[in-house]
Amino acid sequence: MSAAEATRGRGRPRDPRTDEAILRAALELFTEHGHAGTSIEAIARRAGVGKLTVYRRWGSKDELIAAAVESARGEIPNPGTDDLDGMSYAEISQVIVDALPVSARTLAEPGYRAMLAQVFGSCVTHPGLMAAFWQNHILPRRRTVHLALSRAVDEGVLPPETDIEALIDMTVGAVLYRLLRSDPPDADELLEYLRAVYRQAGMIPRQ
Amino acid sequence: MSAAEATRGRGRPRDPRTDEAILRAALELFTEHGHAGTSIEAIARRAGVGKLTVYRRWGSKDELIAAAVESARGEIPNPGTDDLDGMSYAEISQVIVDALPVSARTLAEPGYRAMLAQVFGSCVTHPGLMAAFWQNHILPRRRTVHLALSRAVDEGVLPPETDIEALIDMTVGAVLYRLLRSDPPDADELLEYLRAVYRQAGMIPRQ
């Protein structure tokens, strides 16, 4: 593994349990104390590893916290553009429908909401975290969603004038806004909410 | 003025400049230091008034900060449901179009974005602020928007199956999500963005 690879965190992990322990420690500390209150040193200590072990895997605190935030998605599916090869939008739409229950359960966790508040709350004071999260995790996901929605437009499921980028923001933004309201939904309420938003977006069928 | 009225902040203000000074001080301190770092005492000191003068107007720190956050909207129009009396949706839609430039200028201010990050960032650690903001300021505005969009459905501008509450969340949520990204838009970019989202929502005409 070259030094450059290590810096980018692309090296093959020696022991995946070490990665998991570091990500879990980072997620816990960040959720509880925010960006300013979380240090690589404290993360390493909680994970039971040395600082160098952390730095060998992630180039910066921002990249590590971004990866920890991403890891909080747990079992929510995260398909790449390749996974859409040969799929019709009807099939893609069924994948979306099938993923909604696990998404609702995960996103409705109080810890997930607390983490989300820390992420967006730190976007001005610590812009590097949102930049790393956007670049490393959100952007690849958006490319997949964009491809899926282009297919919906091509197949006439969505109208030709659809502004796909706006529609992605509207869908993600609605869920973000709902989660950060003062009356957070439980998993069942959030599942109903996700269905309502995806239907209103035209991304899943009305019935 | 009864004690109950004073507690709810409904008393007639003795001097509107005092209110303005308090709101401005609250907004500055909250934007810079967040909820935890802002005290009524510090707000009163910065505004050059006594603590009692503050408490006579706002029943709690949450209500005061919520009012300060609301005041940051500046000249963005804030019509009530009565203002829609006798208006067709075409007329309402024109009001929305006309309000977009001032909305874009206000929301694209770096200070507005920093404040927004503090508001949403504190929704878990200090839930009373979001609750007060929602109850006192967002909910009345949503009632107006809901009435406007009901009219759009009645007049066939939006399809009958429109989920109005979801559509409101999608529109507000998209703007929130766009503002809290790592690459904040300037006023011109945000104006284009607002137009794109409102068009995609079907709330303003495509051209």
Side-chain angles (χ1 to χ4, degrees):
Chain A
M1 181 170 61
S2 75
E5 277 171 342
T7 304
R8 290 199 310 273
R10 300 274 159 87
R12 194 158 63 117
R14 255 73 47 116
D15 182 349
R17 283 171 303 181
T18 305
D19 286 47
E20 279 165 33
I22 295 169
L23 289 171
R24 194 167 51 241
L27 186 60
E28 287 169 5
L29 286 167
F30 173 69
T31 298
E32 195 174 346
H33 303 291
H35 192 292
T38 303
S39 67
I40 294 274
E41 194 148 21
I43 293 169
R45 203 179 318 119
R46 183 173 291 208
V49 301
K51 274 175 72 172
L52 198 62
T53 306
V54 176
Y55 277 120
R56 223 178 270 131
R57 285 161 168 82
W58 289 278
S60 69
K61 180 173 137 183
D62 284 330
E63 286 184 19
L64 168 53
I65 296 179
V69 166
E70 177 71 7
S71 75
R73 289 172 54 93
E75 293 173 15
I76 300 177
N78 201 11
T81 49
D82 291 354
D83 294 309
L84 305 187
D85 281 353
M87 288 178 83
S88 70
Y89 190 73
E91 290 168 317
I92 294 171
S93 175
Q94 189 58 51
V95 171
I96 298 173
V97 169
D98 291 344
L100 292 183
V102 64
S103 299
R105 274 197 304 277
T106 306
L107 305 182
E109 285 286 333
Y112 194 93
R113 180 170 177 258
M115 177 208 75
L116 212 58
Q118 296 282 17
V119 170
F120 285 91
S122 68
C123 74
V124 173
T125 49
H126 302 87
L129 168 60
M130 184 64 83
F133 187 51
W134 188 267
Q135 194 60 38
N136 299 345
H137 305 289
I138 298 185
L139 221 49
R141 194 146 48 233
R142 279 183 85 99
R143 278 194 281 270
T144 307
V145 179
H146 194 105
L147 179 63
L149 296 183
S150 306
R151 203 156 296 172
V153 172
D154 292 345
E155 297 179 14
V157 176
L158 289 174
E161 66 272 19
T162 302
D163 184 330
I164 292 178
E165 287 295 303
L167 190 57
I168 296 174
D169 278 7
M170 291 168 78
T171 311
V172 179
V175 178
L176 173 71
Y177 187 49
R178 180 67 193 87
L179 285 174
L180 299 186
R181 256 169 60 173
S182 51
D183 55 337
D186 65 24
D188 289 340
E189 289 165 337
L190 188 58
L191 179 55
E192 277 316 298
Y193 185 81
L194 292 175
R195 285 179 177 148
V197 168
Y198 279 77
R199 278 186 201 125
Q200 176 59 35
M203 287 165 64
I204 65 173
R206 292 262 159 201
Q207 276 317 322
Chain B
M1 182 167 65
S2 75
E5 277 170 343
T7 304
R8 291 198 309 270
R10 300 275 159 89
R12 194 157 61 118
R14 254 72 45 118
D15 181 350
R17 284 172 303 182
T18 305
D19 286 46
E20 279 164 32
I22 295 169
L23 288 173
R24 196 167 49 240
L27 186 59
E28 287 168 5
L29 287 168
F30 173 69
T31 298
E32 197 174 343
H33 303 291
H35 192 290
T38 304
S39 67
I40 294 274
E41 195 148 21
I43 293 168
R45 203 181 315 122
R46 183 173 291 209
V49 302
K51 273 175 71 171
L52 198 61
T53 306
V54 177
Y55 277 120
R56 222 178 268 131
R57 285 160 168 81
W58 289 278
S60 69
K61 180 173 139 182
D62 284 330
E63 286 184 18
L64 168 53
I65 296 180
V69 166
E70 177 70 7
S71 75
R73 289 172 54 92
E75 294 173 14
I76 300 177
N78 201 11
T81 50
D82 290 355
D83 294 308
L84 305 187
D85 282 352
M87 288 178 83
S88 70
Y89 190 74
E91 291 168 317
I92 294 171
S93 175
Q94 189 58 52
V95 171
I96 297 173
V97 169
D98 291 344
L100 293 183
V102 64
S103 299
R105 275 198 303 279
T106 306
L107 304 182
E109 285 286 333
Y112 193 92
R113 179 170 178 259
M115 177 207 75
L116 212 57
Q118 295 283 19
V119 170
F120 285 91
S122 67
C123 75
V124 173
T125 49
H126 302 88
L129 168 59
M130 185 62 84
F133 187 51
W134 188 267
Q135 194 60 39
N136 300 346
H137 305 289
I138 297 184
L139 220 48
R141 194 148 46 235
R142 279 183 85 99
R143 278 193 282 268
T144 307
V145 178
H146 194 106
L147 180 63
L149 296 183
S150 306
R151 204 158 294 170
V153 172
D154 292 345
E155 297 179 14
V157 176
L158 289 174
E161 66 272 19
T162 302
D163 184 329
I164 293 178
E165 287 295 303
L167 190 57
I168 296 174
D169 278 7
M170 291 168 77
T171 311
V172 178
V175 179
L176 172 71
Y177 187 49
R178 180 68 193 86
L179 285 174
L180 299 185
R181 254 168 60 173
S182 52
D183 55 337
D186 66 23
D188 289 340
E189 289 165 336
L190 187 59
L191 179 54
E192 277 316 297
Y193 185 80
L194 293 174
R195 285 180 178 146
V197 167
Y198 279 77
R199 277 186 203 125
Q200 177 59 34
M203 288 166 63
I204 65 173
R206 293 262 158 202
Q207 280 315 321

